[in-house]
Short mmCIF file of all heavy atoms in Angstrom, two decimals:
data_model
loop_
_atom_site.label_atom_id
_atom_site.label_comp_id
_atom_site.label_asym_id
_atom_site.label_seq_id
_atom_site.Cartn_x
_atom_site.Cartn_y
_atom_site.Cartn_z
N HIS B 53 76.60 57.08 142.69
CA HIS B 53 77.14 57.67 141.45
C HIS B 53 76.47 58.99 141.09
O HIS B 53 76.77 59.56 140.03
CB HIS B 53 77.02 56.69 140.27
CG HIS B 53 77.72 55.39 140.51
ND1 HIS B 53 79.03 55.32 140.91
CD2 HIS B 53 77.29 54.11 140.41
CE1 HIS B 53 79.38 54.04 141.06
NE2 HIS B 53 78.34 53.29 140.76
N ASP B 54 75.61 59.52 141.94
CA ASP B 54 75.00 60.83 141.71
C ASP B 54 75.66 61.87 142.61
O ASP B 54 75.77 61.66 143.83
CB ASP B 54 73.50 60.79 142.03
CG ASP B 54 72.87 62.18 141.90
OD1 ASP B 54 72.70 62.64 140.76
OD2 ASP B 54 72.56 62.79 142.95
N THR B 55 76.15 62.98 142.04
CA THR B 55 76.68 64.08 142.83
C THR B 55 76.26 65.39 142.19
O THR B 55 76.11 65.48 140.97
CB THR B 55 78.22 64.04 142.92
OG1 THR B 55 78.79 64.14 141.62
CG2 THR B 55 78.71 62.76 143.61
N ASN B 56 76.07 66.42 143.04
CA ASN B 56 75.61 67.72 142.58
C ASN B 56 76.30 68.81 143.37
O ASN B 56 76.61 68.63 144.55
CB ASN B 56 74.09 67.85 142.78
CG ASN B 56 73.33 66.71 142.15
OD1 ASN B 56 73.06 66.72 140.96
ND2 ASN B 56 72.98 65.71 142.95
N LYS B 57 76.49 69.97 142.72
CA LYS B 57 77.13 71.10 143.38
C LYS B 57 76.12 71.89 144.18
O LYS B 57 74.99 72.11 143.73
CB LYS B 57 77.79 72.01 142.33
CG LYS B 57 78.95 71.36 141.61
CD LYS B 57 79.56 72.33 140.60
CE LYS B 57 80.75 71.68 139.91
NZ LYS B 57 81.38 72.61 138.92
N GLY B 58 76.56 72.35 145.35
CA GLY B 58 75.77 73.26 146.15
C GLY B 58 76.20 74.69 145.92
O GLY B 58 76.86 75.01 144.93
N GLU B 59 75.86 75.57 146.86
CA GLU B 59 76.11 76.99 146.65
C GLU B 59 77.56 77.40 146.84
O GLU B 59 77.98 78.45 146.36
CB GLU B 59 75.22 77.82 147.58
CG GLU B 59 75.50 77.61 149.06
CD GLU B 59 74.69 78.54 149.96
OE1 GLU B 59 74.82 79.77 149.83
OE2 GLU B 59 73.94 78.02 150.81
N VAL B 60 78.38 76.57 147.54
CA VAL B 60 79.77 76.93 147.80
C VAL B 60 80.69 75.76 147.42
O VAL B 60 81.51 75.31 148.22
CB VAL B 60 79.99 77.37 149.27
CG1 VAL B 60 79.34 78.70 149.54
CG2 VAL B 60 79.49 76.30 150.24
N SER B 61 80.59 75.28 146.21
CA SER B 61 81.29 74.06 145.80
C SER B 61 82.72 74.28 145.29
O SER B 61 83.49 73.31 145.18
CB SER B 61 80.49 73.35 144.72
OG SER B 61 80.35 74.19 143.59
N ASP B 62 83.11 75.50 144.99
CA ASP B 62 84.44 75.73 144.43
C ASP B 62 85.53 75.24 145.38
O ASP B 62 85.56 75.61 146.55
CB ASP B 62 84.64 77.23 144.13
CG ASP B 62 83.86 77.68 142.93
OD1 ASP B 62 83.33 76.82 142.20
OD2 ASP B 62 83.77 78.91 142.71
N GLY B 63 86.45 74.42 144.86
CA GLY B 63 87.56 73.92 145.65
C GLY B 63 87.28 72.62 146.36
O GLY B 63 88.14 72.07 147.04
N TYR B 64 86.05 72.09 146.19
CA TYR B 64 85.63 70.85 146.83
C TYR B 64 85.14 69.84 145.79
O TYR B 64 84.62 70.22 144.75
CB TYR B 64 84.48 71.08 147.81
CG TYR B 64 84.72 72.09 148.89
CD1 TYR B 64 84.34 73.41 148.72
CD2 TYR B 64 85.29 71.71 150.11
CE1 TYR B 64 84.52 74.34 149.73
CE2 TYR B 64 85.47 72.63 151.12
CZ TYR B 64 85.08 73.95 150.92
OH TYR B 64 85.26 74.86 151.94
N SER B 65 85.27 68.55 146.11
CA SER B 65 84.70 67.52 145.26
C SER B 65 84.22 66.37 146.12
O SER B 65 84.67 66.19 147.26
CB SER B 65 85.71 67.01 144.23
OG SER B 65 86.81 66.39 144.88
N VAL B 66 83.26 65.60 145.58
CA VAL B 66 82.75 64.41 146.27
C VAL B 66 82.57 63.30 145.24
O VAL B 66 82.49 63.55 144.04
CB VAL B 66 81.39 64.67 146.96
CG1 VAL B 66 81.52 65.65 148.11
CG2 VAL B 66 80.34 65.14 145.96
N SER B 67 82.51 62.09 145.74
CA SER B 67 82.15 60.94 144.91
C SER B 67 81.33 59.99 145.76
O SER B 67 81.54 59.89 146.97
CB SER B 67 83.39 60.25 144.35
OG SER B 67 84.18 59.73 145.42
N ARG B 68 80.39 59.29 145.14
CA ARG B 68 79.50 58.38 145.87
C ARG B 68 79.57 57.01 145.21
O ARG B 68 78.94 56.76 144.19
CB ARG B 68 78.07 58.92 145.82
CG ARG B 68 77.06 58.11 146.64
CD ARG B 68 76.83 58.70 147.98
NE ARG B 68 75.87 57.99 148.80
CZ ARG B 68 74.58 58.31 148.88
NH1 ARG B 68 74.09 59.31 148.14
NH2 ARG B 68 73.78 57.64 149.69
N SER B 69 80.34 56.12 145.79
CA SER B 69 80.52 54.78 145.21
C SER B 69 79.65 53.73 145.89
O SER B 69 79.51 52.61 145.39
CB SER B 69 81.98 54.35 145.28
OG SER B 69 82.42 54.35 146.63
N ASN B 70 79.07 54.09 147.04
CA ASN B 70 78.14 53.19 147.72
C ASN B 70 77.12 54.03 148.49
O ASN B 70 77.22 55.27 148.54
CB ASN B 70 78.87 52.22 148.67
CG ASN B 70 79.69 52.96 149.72
OD1 ASN B 70 79.17 53.83 150.41
ND2 ASN B 70 80.96 52.61 149.85
N THR B 71 76.13 53.38 149.09
CA THR B 71 75.08 54.11 149.79
C THR B 71 75.58 54.76 151.06
O THR B 71 75.13 55.84 151.44
CB THR B 71 73.93 53.14 150.14
OG1 THR B 71 73.40 52.58 148.94
CG2 THR B 71 72.80 53.86 150.89
N GLU B 72 76.53 54.13 151.75
CA GLU B 72 76.90 54.55 153.10
C GLU B 72 77.86 55.73 153.18
O GLU B 72 77.90 56.42 154.20
CB GLU B 72 77.55 53.37 153.84
CG GLU B 72 76.63 52.17 154.08
CD GLU B 72 76.51 51.30 152.85
OE1 GLU B 72 77.37 51.39 151.94
OE2 GLU B 72 75.54 50.52 152.78
N ASP B 73 78.66 55.97 152.15
CA ASP B 73 79.77 56.92 152.28
C ASP B 73 79.72 58.05 151.26
O ASP B 73 79.40 57.84 150.09
CB ASP B 73 81.11 56.19 152.12
CG ASP B 73 81.30 55.11 153.17
OD1 ASP B 73 81.54 55.48 154.33
OD2 ASP B 73 81.19 53.92 152.82
N LEU B 74 80.05 59.26 151.72
CA LEU B 74 80.22 60.40 150.82
C LEU B 74 81.44 61.20 151.29
O LEU B 74 81.32 62.13 152.10
CB LEU B 74 78.98 61.30 150.81
CG LEU B 74 79.02 62.43 149.77
CD1 LEU B 74 78.91 61.85 148.36
CD2 LEU B 74 77.91 63.46 150.01
N PRO B 75 82.64 60.85 150.85
CA PRO B 75 83.83 61.59 151.25
C PRO B 75 83.90 62.95 150.56
O PRO B 75 83.55 63.07 149.38
CB PRO B 75 84.99 60.68 150.82
CG PRO B 75 84.41 59.83 149.72
CD PRO B 75 82.95 59.67 150.01
N LEU B 76 84.36 63.94 151.30
CA LEU B 76 84.54 65.30 150.77
C LEU B 76 86.04 65.57 150.63
O LEU B 76 86.78 65.43 151.60
CB LEU B 76 83.92 66.33 151.72
CG LEU B 76 84.10 67.80 151.34
CD1 LEU B 76 83.25 68.14 150.13
CD2 LEU B 76 83.74 68.71 152.52
N THR B 77 86.46 65.98 149.43
CA THR B 77 87.87 66.25 149.18
C THR B 77 88.09 67.73 148.91
O THR B 77 87.37 68.33 148.09
CB THR B 77 88.40 65.42 147.99
OG1 THR B 77 88.30 64.03 148.31
CG2 THR B 77 89.85 65.75 147.69
N LEU B 78 89.05 68.29 149.61
CA LEU B 78 89.54 69.63 149.31
C LEU B 78 90.78 69.44 148.45
O LEU B 78 91.79 68.88 148.91
CB LEU B 78 89.89 70.39 150.59
CG LEU B 78 88.75 70.91 151.46
CD1 LEU B 78 87.99 69.76 152.12
CD2 LEU B 78 89.26 71.88 152.51
#
Side-chain angles (χ1 to χ4, degrees):
Chain B
H53 302 308
D54 176 72
T55 61
N56 306 278
K57 294 181 179 180
E59 64 174 300
V60 290
S61 60
D62 287 349
Y64 303 94
S65 63
V66 294
S67 63
R68 184 97 179 265
S69 58
N70 58 52
T71 300
E72 296 80 18
D73 299 288
L74 187 69
L76 177 71
T77 297
L78 286 69

